[in-house]
Every structure is written in C-alpha cells, then in structure tokens.
Amino acid sequence: MTDTLAPQRLTGPFRAPHNGFQQASGSIHNDEVASKLGFKGGTVPGSVHMDQFVPMLVQLYGDAWFETGDISLHFTQATVDREEVQAIVDPGEPRARLQMFNRQGQQICIGSASPKARDEGSEVARRLADQAAAEPGRLRIYADIQVGDTTSDIPMKVSRESYEASLGRITENLPAYARDGVLSPAHVVRLAHMSRPFVLAKSKTPYVGLFGALEVRHLAGPIFADRDYVGRTTMRKLTESPKTENAWYDVDIADAATGKDVASVTFMIRAMKPSSPLWS
C-alpha cells in the first residue's frame, strides 16, 4: 500500500497593507469614525487582503485562475494601516482553504479558492446558505430593501491610469497587472463596488458600512483596466447580528461590447447599528 502525501501548505510572507482611505470622512476607514465604533483605528478594506493570496493561487492553478477561478473570504477581524498579516493556503479538492493571521496569531479571515467558478461549496456560498434571514420588521437601516431586488445597466470601468497609480500600494504586484492591465481581485471588487449606490439606494443613511464577506468569481476572464463593463445586481439575503444589519448581494459583470458575463462578485455589507440614529 502506497502512502499518499497530503498537499503541502503554502505560506506567504508577512505583508503590511496600506489603508489608502483614512481621510474619507464618515467612513470605517477613517481613524476617528472607526475608533468611535470600537475598532483600533481606520480599517484596511477587506478586499485588499484578497490580493495577498493570489501568488499562491497562481502557483496552484496557473494563470488560468484569472480566467475561471474564484476566491471567497469571510472576515473575522479588521486590520489597521500597516498591520502585518500573513496569508496561508491549504491545497485541496475541490477547493483550497484560505486563512490569514496577524503577528499576534489572531485570525483576520477564512475562506476558499478554486480553479473553477462557480463553486457552490465556497466559503461565502456556504455561509450565505446557513444564515437565517432577518425576521420581518427587525431591520431599520435596510428596512426598505427586499430580497430579490434587482438593478441593471450600471456602467463600470477602472481606468488604466488609476489602476497603475494603485499598484505601488498593492501587497502582491504581479507582472500581469502592470504589463497587461489584468485586474487583481481587489480591483475586481472595486469595479463591482461601483454598483453600491444603486443596489443599496434605499438604505437609510447615515450609517457606517464595511465588508463582512467577499467572493470574486472569474467566469470568462481576465478582467481588465480601461475596458467598459456593465453590471447588474440581485439582493440575495438580509440578515442581522447584535451589532450589524447585513446585506448579501451579487453583482454580475458583463463585457459592454459583447454582453457576455465575465465575472461575478458577492458582497456582504455590514451596516453598523451603533453608527445609525435609527439604533441610538
């Protein structure tokens, strides 16, 4: 009988992601706002952490990961500017397991990745299915939003100039980003996030929101800077916790020239109850 060796764990270096949004007033990325809500300081967007896993995913799946692969993360603790974190990938079938920790050993996120989207067993898909929907009348910030709400025809584009300006801050700058304009997962999220004013238009402001979970799915990638895309959204579920109201929704991204779907992103946006006068 031959012993089968388990796939070897991949461990990335510690990186110190930059919070480039500290000056955004009213945002969770602002030190003053975040501190009032009990955070250590302005938070690094969770999407930034996605990019730290990519070199290991390319090592596992090759460049084809940018064409059909996915990455799915649930965030368990926010980080602040320059806080060092390490990405870990445990290979497996049909998906790899992902983790990130800070220097103190505290878990920042947990997730999954696979070479073939859509993965019905991904971290976010599993959590979405397991979450109980908020009871009728319980939500205040998202009270006017309904499961099944849709929007469409949202223009989306990341300019090559703004993308290249951001590459100096990215934790893992792969050659394809600058050479070909291939968008990193964090910038696919940035592209899809252009839908937020539409999909959450009926939320009751003011409130402070942050990413609770994110999943990027390449369906016919790569996704490029300086290319016109069109988005449509679907509200999947509304949930709550003692501190947050949570909106789970999909953003499907199509190439504007062909109409073909090329990517899809699932968001879980946490609206902080203490940030809203409706919960005071």
Side-chain angles (χ1 to χ4, degrees):
M1 182 175 180
T2 303
D3 291 334
T4 301
L5 295 177
Q8 187 172 0
R9 166 174 283 190
L10 304 176
T11 303
F14 274 95
R15 299 296 193 197
H18 173 53
N19 174 17
F21 304 91
Q22 287 174 312
Q23 304 308 314
S25 62
S27 165
I28 194 66
H29 310 305
N30 178 277
D31 285 340
E32 182 179 359
V33 172
S35 296
K36 288 180 179 178
L37 292 170
F39 294 88
K40 293 181 289 186
T43 65
V44 173
S47 55
V48 170
H49 294 312
M50 286 188 149
D51 290 342
Q52 206 164 327
F53 291 97
V54 175
M56 290 177 283
L57 299 183
V58 172
Q59 181 178 339
L60 277 179
Y61 305 127
D63 289 338
W65 182 82
F66 286 105
E67 300 172 10
T68 61
D70 64 37
I71 180 170
S72 183
L73 296 180
H74 170 75
F75 302 103
T76 54
Q77 179 169 300
T79 64
V80 295
D81 187 51
R82 310 296 183 184
E83 180 177 350
E84 291 190 324
V85 290
Q86 183 178 48
I88 298 170
V89 176
D90 287 302
E93 295 292 343
R95 65 192 63 86
R97 303 303 304 176
L98 313 182
Q99 297 181 85
M100 179 173 282
F101 297 92
N102 63 13
R103 285 283 188 185
Q104 291 71 44
Q106 297 165 323
Q107 186 184 77
I108 305 304
C109 62
I110 187 170
S112 66
S114 79
K116 186 66 176 178
R118 302 178 179 254
D119 177 9
E120 298 301 327
S122 72
E123 185 71 29
V124 171
R126 181 179 60 80
R127 288 180 180 272
L128 175 59
D130 289 346
Q131 288 284 313
E135 295 180 4
R138 280 292 303 167
L139 302 182
R140 302 178 189 181
I141 300 168
Y142 294 148
D144 295 335
I145 298 174
Q146 301 295 320
V147 173
D149 283 351
T150 61
T151 64
S152 59
D153 299 322
I154 303 168
M156 298 175 172
K157 184 177 184 178
V158 174
S159 74
R160 187 67 179 260
E161 182 181 11
S162 68
Y163 185 44
E164 290 182 352
S166 73
L167 292 180
R169 302 187 299 271
I170 199 168
T171 54
E172 299 288 350
N173 191 350
L174 302 187
Y177 298 162
R179 183 188 65 224
D180 305 322
V182 172
L183 292 186
S184 75
H187 286 82
V188 177
V189 171
R190 174 185 169 191
L191 185 76
H193 203 41
M194 295 174 185
S195 67
R196 183 171 176 173
F198 302 90
V199 68
L200 297 180
K202 293 186 287 186
S203 58
K204 296 180 179 180
T205 57
Y207 71 93
V208 175
L210 71 161
F211 295 145
L214 292 168
E215 180 170 308
V216 170
R217 297 176 291 275
H218 299 99
L219 306 177
I223 315 304
F224 294 100
D226 250 1
R227 186 168 295 185
D228 292 315
Y229 296 100
V230 179
R232 63 187 188 277
T233 72
T234 304
M235 186 60 60
R236 298 282 304 280
K237 188 174 279 190
L238 296 163
T239 65
E240 70 160 338
S241 72
K243 294 183 179 181
T244 65
E245 296 184 18
N246 309 308
W248 304 72
Y249 60 91
D250 289 342
V251 181
D252 296 310
I253 303 170
D255 187 298
T258 66
K260 180 180 180 180
D261 282 354
V262 294
S264 183
V265 179
T266 297
F267 290 86
M268 190 265 268
I269 303 292
R270 291 172 171 148
M272 302 294 296
K273 290 179 179 178
S275 71
S276 168
L278 299 174
W279 285 100
S280 296

